[in-house]
Amino acid sequence: MRLVHLDLKGAAPRVSYLEQVFPLLSQLGANGILIEYEDMFPFKGELEILRSPYAYSEEDVERIQQLAELHKLEVVPLVQTFGHVEFILKHEKYQHLREVERFPNSFNPHVPDTLVLLKSILSQVIEKHRRSTWIHIGADEVFHLGEGLDSKNWMSRNKGDTGTIYLKHIKEVVGFIATQYWGLQVLMWDDMLRKISVGALRGERMGTAVVAPEPGVWAAPIPSTVPKAQQEPVPAPVGTRVSGEHEEPQASSCPWHWCPHPHPCCPTEYDHYSVLCELLPVGIPSLAICLQTLVNGGFTEEMKRKVLDTLGFQSMQLEQSTCEGRGVFPGAEIYHMVEQVNGHLKESILKALEEESAIKGWFSPYHRKHQFGNPRNMESFGSKVLKLHEDWENFVRDLRTQLERVYFPDTVEEWMEENVNPYLDQLRDLVRDYR
């Protein structure tokens, strides 16, 4: 299975955009979609509090599956069942289920209500994916596990450790799925299991609930035995993961988070609260390369030519993370416009504000605060600044239009606030004071 992970905790695309993207993913070699809905799922009843204002409707979820089926992409829903549950535990209603009261990252597995809630969430998601043969239970990065008072007391009474707490909870989750949804196969991330000895795994007699990570792959199916490979160090993970946010600092060499442009404010561990990473349209060229590499076991010149032809580029420089050409893939306009923002917006505005001697000498913050300036000197830079302002405002208006075709208003607003406004607002303020 070559799954593309759509992590919707940051910048969930409209279904109309997925309709354009799914055929491309299939063409590039994907045969499945791993969908981490988080708050984009249309939860009902008591769980409705978890829904984003822009959550997909039940019809949207059905449409996504129809589109996937049409393009031979298997849908695997992902429901986080231990860590990465900020979208749940941020609500006061569920605050009592936190492992550590201050932090909304992870569930307290000792509170019976935790499993009750998880069963309800899993049931609603699985019921809307009856055609799926797999369910992914997440279970990665369970921060602060063992730090809560309940866990400390449990470990003291049972002479256990965080590994046994972890396995006990996972057994309960997998047991529920196995009992209620016979034949549904379970996937999970393996990072927490790397810290647990093979002996402990065997001692738990988890059977079908044992995870054995494939070398170099972070998602692994749950087989009935633990292979000897588990006893060896496991290489760093690779995979195909696309998201609105990410887990590693952005870098041009980043192999699986599709971060073509450095973004220094991104955290090393991402969650429901972090800033957006690169948008999906911007990451498509990188994703295309990785999918073709997975399909063919390497990236040859022939594969490179296929990617170029498929995406409509003339050439690409992998070391610089750049592509030359117009591009014909869904969202290509956004790809190029984001390049303009990353490459020129900040530079051109700071150049105008800091290198223009007339501004520094005759229109400083002091002059602007006291509305005091010589018109002769102001006119020497005025037309240039007004033109720069007009050009960028027109550009940003077009960019917003393109983004709104793909994303919901909250994503568009956040992306603008993070990437455009910090610089453009400086120019806007200067023009306001000039006028």
Side-chain angles (χ1 to χ4, degrees), residues 35-36 77-82 118 121-122 125 135-139:
I35 307 181
E36 187 169 357
L78 190 159
V79 176
Q80 286 287 1
T81 56
F82 215 161
L118 280 174
I121 292 172
L122 283 163
V125 173
I135 178 75
H136 198 305
I137 61 170

Side-chain angles (χ1 to χ4, degrees), residues 2-18:
R2 293 181 294 276
L3 299 171
V4 173
H5 180 184
L6 295 176
D7 188 345
L8 305 182
K9 63 170 55 70
R14 296 178 185 271
V15 177
S16 56
Y17 183 66
L18 296 179

Side-chain angles (χ1 to χ4, degrees), residues 159-168 171 192-207 209-211 226 230-231:
K159 296 184 172 54
D161 56 16
T162 55
T164 43
I165 293 176
Y166 180 84
L167 292 176
K168 178 176 176 292
K171 275 178 72 174
M192 295 295 292
L193 289 148
R194 294 171 187 231
K195 305 166 189 173
I196 301 172
S197 69
V198 178
L201 285 169
R202 287 198 175 116
E204 281 294 317
R205 299 189 178 279
M206 291 180 69
V210 174
V211 174
V226 183
Q230 171 76 7
Q231 301 172 43

Side-chain angles (χ1 to χ4, degrees), residues 268-320:
T268 54
E269 305 289 352
Y270 88 91
D271 60 28
H272 184 76
Y273 291 87
S274 70
V275 297
L276 296 175
C277 181
E278 285 290 19
L279 301 172
L280 175 52
V282 183
I284 282 179
S286 182
L287 173 58
I289 291 167
C290 290
L291 277 172
Q292 278 295 292
T293 302
L294 283 173
V295 170
N296 297 284
F299 193 64
T300 63
E301 280 300 313
E302 184 184 348
M303 295 305 107
K304 184 176 178 181
R305 175 46 53 193
K306 180 181 177 181
V307 170
L308 290 172
D309 291 344
T310 303
L311 301 183
F313 286 127
Q314 273 75 57
S315 63
M316 59 173 58
Q317 306 299 323
L318 298 186
E319 293 78 12
Q320 285 77 44

Side-chain angles (χ1 to χ4, degrees), residues 170-187:
I170 295 303
K171 275 178 72 174
E172 290 176 331
V173 171
V174 174
F176 165 73
I177 295 170
T179 304
Q180 294 297 119
Y181 302 98
W182 191 86
L184 189 61
Q185 298 179 87
V186 179
L187 285 159

Side-chain angles (χ1 to χ4, degrees), residues 398-415:
D398 292 341
L399 172 58
R400 185 178 284 274
T401 300
Q402 293 292 341
L403 289 173
E404 286 171 350
R405 290 175 182 168
V406 174
Y407 292 106
F408 298 99
D410 59 337
T411 298
V412 177
E413 205 52 50
E414 183 178 352
W415 199 89

Side-chain angles (χ1 to χ4, degrees), residues 20-30 71 284 291 310-311 329-330:
Q20 302 172 56
V21 169
F22 280 9
L24 177 65
L25 299 182
S26 182
Q27 186 181 354
L28 289 167
H71 299 291
I284 282 179
L291 277 172
T310 303
L311 301 183
F329 59 92

